[in-house]
Structure formats: structure tokens, C-alpha cells
Amino acid sequence: MFKLMTSCGPQVNTNGTRRNMTIIIIGLENAGKTVFVEAFRRLLPSKIDRCMNSKLTTVLLDEYEISVYDLNGDMKGRKIWPNYYAQAHGIVFVLDSSDLGRMQEVKTTLSHLLSDARVAGKPILLLANKQDKKNALLPRDIIKYLFLERIMNDNKFMCLLEPCSAIQNLQRSNHEPLLEGLRWLVTAIQNKQENLCAHEQSLTSGIPTYKDTTGFKVEYASIRSVGSNGARNVLEPPHILYLQFSDPIIRKYGGEEEYEKGMTEEKEEPLGQHSMETRPLKPILKKEGLRLKPKKNVSVTFALDEPMEEGECSKVNGAQNTTELHYNYRADFQFPETYTNDEVTSEPSPKKRMPTWYVEEMMLEDAYEDIFETCVNALISRTIRTISVFLFLF
Ligand SMILES: Nc1nc2c(ncn2[C@@H]2O[C@H](COP(=O)(O)OP(=O)(O)OP(=O)(O)O)[C@@H](O)[C@H]2O)c(=O)[nH]1
Ligand SMILES: [Mg+2]
């Protein structure tokens, strides 16, 4: 039992100061995984270990020491992913939001990942990367086309979809979306571990810590929005979905009934067309008050750690690793030359694409509407009054 409790989650370092955590970064090739790891390295104290099939970067975030395995996304690389599943406490899945032609492949790869028993119940951070690109899918469209609600809820996964642009966020020194996703993952792993340990303790001591440990799970996927300047808006999360106590499933899409209907019926629209339909954000904002807040995760699903398979690098047996130690801090960040000129700078400003994400704009619109409505009402009542006086006189 002791082994179970200590091996299933983040470990406290021998010096007792930091907890160790392992995460893997996966996704199709060219999604931007390595750029993300590069970003983490630049924003956090880090060290690199070179392994046989992957690159291991260890970063320090808050009280955690996180081992990040950057795995290749080509077909050959994908065959190696499962070797890391058991060891990982959480998963970062990066997707290229602008590569519409490969969304189906993303969907298949994701489903395959979630169906693996070694991944069961582990928190997943979905990074919808390359939001700076003109044709990038909006988060709600990604949810829709990947059937995220269904695949996450069916498989009882806790998931956060974070729209971001690894390059643009770094370039503009807007690091929040990059680090917040990672923070969420770390917290989710930690919460899960605490709940699991509490559950294990209750089993050994015979004292129940949950009201109902069977089927007591809360999962949610939330979407955050990125403004045209890459900054986080205060609208988060416009879409929340989570399960509570298995049944009934409570779904919320920021009050967008139409969208909910579309999602549950799972009618697939051709990619690329949806973003043209401008769905006003106003209804979402107006119904923000109805939004349900995600509850603390108390999932009891877990997977035991297993040793990694042959030839794979692990922190424990990393004897053949070459280690470079270097610490980077935000202040000395400089963008790598290779990323400065190409796609990012040539892309048109995303401002044109997502103007409706601004709260101020919405409030302004509402104000004009209100004034107009008041004027019309005053005019109508005045006319009625005049007609009544007229009728009374004659
Ligand atoms: N426009 C744009 N390009 C990006 C962004 N992130 C990464 N890229 C570009 O996408 C390409 C692939 O990035 P990588 O990080 O090497 O992709 P990867 O997922 O590690 O690919 P594999 O290692 O082959 O699996 C590079 O040319 C990056 O410059 C982004 O946010 N916006
Ligand atoms: Mg890579």
C-alpha cells in the first residue's frame, strides 16, 4: 500500500523542498511542442538532459520540479509515446489550430491516447497553438470538431484547452498563457494525487473521506480566450463543461443553447466554414451569471506508475545523459532568430479576426442599444398620448 501511495503521484525531493512531477508533451509533428519547451526553458529555471528518443527538460515552477519530455510527433515518434504514458503524471497535447487539414488526424491521435489504460484519469492540457495565424480555429470550434466534450467526458478526463501562440506570446512578453496552462496541469496533478492518497488512507483506516467514492467525479474542460494582442481576456472561461456524480451530466456552453444542441448531436461541419459564421459573444456575456464554476476535482481514478520500457530515458537511470545546467529568467529573454522573421511577422494582425472578444466593445454596444430603445419607447408613448387626447377631444 505504501508503495502504491508513493509511486502514483508527484514525489517530494530528498531535501524535502520540491516535489517532482513528470509530464510529456505530445502532438502531431510541427504542432509547436519544441517551441513550447523552449518557452518553458526561457521563462523558468531549467536544465536539459538529452535522451535517446526524447529531450528531457527539467523546469522549476513554484514548489515543483517538473520533468518535461518533449516527444517527436512524426509516425516513428508516436510509436514511442506509449513508453512514457505510465511514468507521466500529466499530459500536454499540443495542436496546430491553423492546420485544418490535419484536425481529423489530431482527433484520431487524441482518441487513441485517451483509450490507453496508462493514461486513464491523468489531467490533460490541450494547447491550441498558433492562434496568431489568420486561419486558426477558435477554441469553441476546436471543441466542436474534436468532439472534445464527448471524448473527455466519456473517458472521465480532466482537461483544459488553452488557446495560445507559443511564438507570439513569447515575442510579446505575454507569458501568462504559456505558464498558466502549465500551472493548471501541475495543480490538477497535485489535487488528484491528494485525493487519491486520501482515498487510499480511508481504505486502510476504514474511515471514509468521501461521501461516495464510487462515481464521485468532477471533470471539466474550460476554454480561455486570447485577445487580438495575445492578452488574456476576462471572459474566461466562456465554455465550461463538467460532470458531477456521473449522472446526470451537467453541460454548460456559456448559455449558447444552439451550440449545445450542435455539440450533442455531433453534426460535423466542414472545417474552415464555421469560423466565418460570426456568432456574437453577447449572449455568452449576458448569461455569464448562469455559469457554473468548476468544482474541485475529487476524481478517484488513478494509474500506477510502471517502469519505462527499454532504452528510454528516465531521471532515475539517466546515467548516459549529458546534462547542461542553465538558468533563464524572464528579464534576459531574447527570441531565437529562427522564429523572428517567418510566419509570425508575416501574419496579418489577428485583431481583425476576433474583435468580438473585447468586453469593453460589448458594453459599448449595449449602451447604444439601451439609448436607442429608450428613445423609441418615449416616442411611442408620446404618440399614444397625443392620439388619446385627440380622440377624447373629438
Ligand atoms: N506561427 C506560429 N508558428 C509556430 C508557433 N509555434 C511553433 N511554430 C512553428 O511551427 C514549426 C514547428 O515547431 P516545432 O516546435 O518544431 O514543432 P514540434 O511539434 O516540436 O514538431 P516535431 O518535433 O516534429 O514533432 C516551427 O517552424 C515553429 O516556428 C506559433 O505559435 N505560431
Ligand atoms: Mg519537436
Side-chain angles (χ1 to χ4, degrees):
M1 181 57 64
F2 177 74
K3 186 169 186 321
L4 169 79
M5 286 171 61
T6 52
S7 65
C8 58
Q11 310 288 298
V12 180
N13 255 355
T14 39
N15 60 12
T17 50
R18 289 188 190 276
R19 286 165 182 268
N20 290 327
M21 232 176 229
T22 302
I23 61 171
I24 53 171
I25 301 207
I26 55 175
L28 305 191
E29 66 271 36
N30 203 44
K33 300 180 291 297
T34 303
V35 175
F36 264 108
V37 177
E38 177 75 11
F40 295 150
R41 273 201 316 115
R42 284 167 187 273
L43 301 175
L44 301 165
S46 63
K47 64 179 175 134
I48 305 175
D49 294 284
R50 297 194 192 285
C51 309
M52 205 181 288
N53 289 313
S54 65
K55 200 157 88 177
L56 169 62
T57 303
T58 308
V59 293
L60 303 181
L61 178 67
D62 306 331
E63 73 269 29
Y64 298 100
E65 185 176 317
I66 311 165
S67 304
V68 183
Y69 286 93
D70 174 17
L71 305 181
N72 288 337
D74 57 3
M75 285 314 229
K76 196 171 154 228
R78 280 181 235 174
K79 287 197 184 117
I80 295 158
W81 293 358
N83 294 351
Y84 293 80
Y85 289 167
Q87 172 155 345
H89 297 114
I91 290 157
V92 179
F93 191 100
V94 184
L95 61 94
D96 180 346
S97 319
S98 68
D99 198 349
L100 311 191
R102 297 189 77 187
M103 275 299 151
Q104 185 56 41
E105 197 180 347
V106 171
K107 195 162 138 187
T108 317
T109 311
L110 203 52
S111 305
H112 205 249
L113 167 77
L114 301 184
S115 65
D116 194 299
R118 288 164 290 189
V119 176
K122 296 184 177 176
I124 296 187
L125 170 64
L126 271 175
L127 293 174
N129 194 26
K130 306 200 187 180
Q131 287 287 321
D132 60 289
K133 287 195 153 187
K134 200 177 90 190
N135 57 339
L137 286 179
L138 296 176
R140 59 173 174 242
D141 297 321
I142 294 171
I143 297 182
K144 197 171 176 179
Y145 287 109
L146 295 182
F147 296 155
L148 271 187
E149 179 216 21
R150 192 175 139 191
I151 58 170
M152 291 301 171
N153 285 349
D154 282 358
N155 295 291
K156 315 284 178 268
F157 277 98
M158 194 162 57
C159 162
L160 176 83
L161 175 64
E162 182 84 27
C164 51
S165 164
I167 286 186
Q168 199 179 64
N169 287 138
L170 265 178
Q171 255 182 348
R172 298 186 178 179
S173 295
N174 174 27
H175 309 139
E176 210 184 298
L178 304 176
L179 291 183
E180 230 174 74
L182 189 61
R183 271 208 176 88
W184 173 86
L185 188 66
V186 165
T187 311
I189 293 169
Q190 188 56 41
N191 285 348
K192 190 172 165 50
Q193 169 60 14
E194 279 165 12
N195 289 323
L196 171 63
C197 289
H199 177 58
E200 292 305 331
Q201 267 161 11
S202 75
L203 286 180
T204 47
S205 64
I207 304 162
T209 50
Y210 297 147
K211 224 171 25 173
D212 176 8
T213 50
T214 55
F216 187 75
K217 24 186 140 39
V218 179
E219 273 123 334
Y220 63 90
S222 70
I223 311 302
R224 294 168 185 199
S225 61
V226 181
S228 55
N229 56 356
R232 177 74 51 86
N233 283 326
V234 282
L235 302 176
E236 62 181 77
H239 307 282
I240 293 178
L241 50 112
Y242 65 84
L243 297 178
Q244 190 177 21
F245 277 110
S246 301
D247 283 309
I249 295 172
I250 303 164
R251 293 193 179 109
K252 273 275 160 191
Y253 295 94
E256 279 189 302
E257 281 79 19
E258 262 178 59
Y259 188 58
E260 180 163 359
K261 194 162 160 267
M263 286 282 291
T264 46
E265 284 174 5
E266 293 188 351
K267 278 182 194 148
E268 202 161 359
E269 286 174 32
L271 285 179
Q273 283 180 17
H274 51 88
S275 290
M276 304 304 286
E277 305 163 14
T278 45
R279 264 190 318 195
L281 190 63
K282 210 178 328 179
I284 305 175
L285 289 173
K286 280 186 175 168
K287 295 192 179 182
E288 279 292 283
L290 295 177
R291 219 174 51 203
L292 298 173
K293 287 228 164 79
K295 296 189 178 171
K296 194 171 183 281
N297 172 41
V298 285
S299 171
V300 292
T301 323
F302 63 92
L304 286 176
D305 275 355
E306 290 166 21
M308 292 182 84
E309 286 174 28
E310 29 83 44
E312 291 307 314
C313 171
S314 92
K315 281 199 77 190
V316 187
N317 66 4
Q320 82 272 34
N321 298 340
T322 54
T323 306
E324 328 164 358
L325 246 178
H326 58 102
Y327 290 88
N328 299 301
Y329 296 94
R330 291 159 200 228
D332 52 66
F333 168 67
Q334 276 199 344
F335 209 76
E337 266 175 40
T338 39
Y339 301 136
T340 44
N341 311 324
D342 53 24
E343 298 144 283
V344 181
T345 42
S346 60
E347 288 300 342
S349 160
K351 215 167 204 164
K352 288 169 201 151
R353 194 164 57 81
M354 299 194 286
T356 48
W357 289 98
Y358 286 106
V359 186
E360 295 82 357
E361 207 171 301
M362 300 306 307
M363 287 162 75
L364 208 64
E365 246 179 62
D366 277 352
Y368 283 135
E369 265 179 32
D370 287 350
I371 292 165
F372 180 71
E373 214 174 297
T374 317
C375 289
V376 170
N377 284 344
L379 202 68
I380 291 171
S381 59
R382 192 170 290 186
T383 315
I384 291 171
R385 228 179 300 141
T386 316
I387 292 170
S388 321
V389 170
F390 224 48
L391 286 174
F392 180 74
L393 289 175
F394 295 97

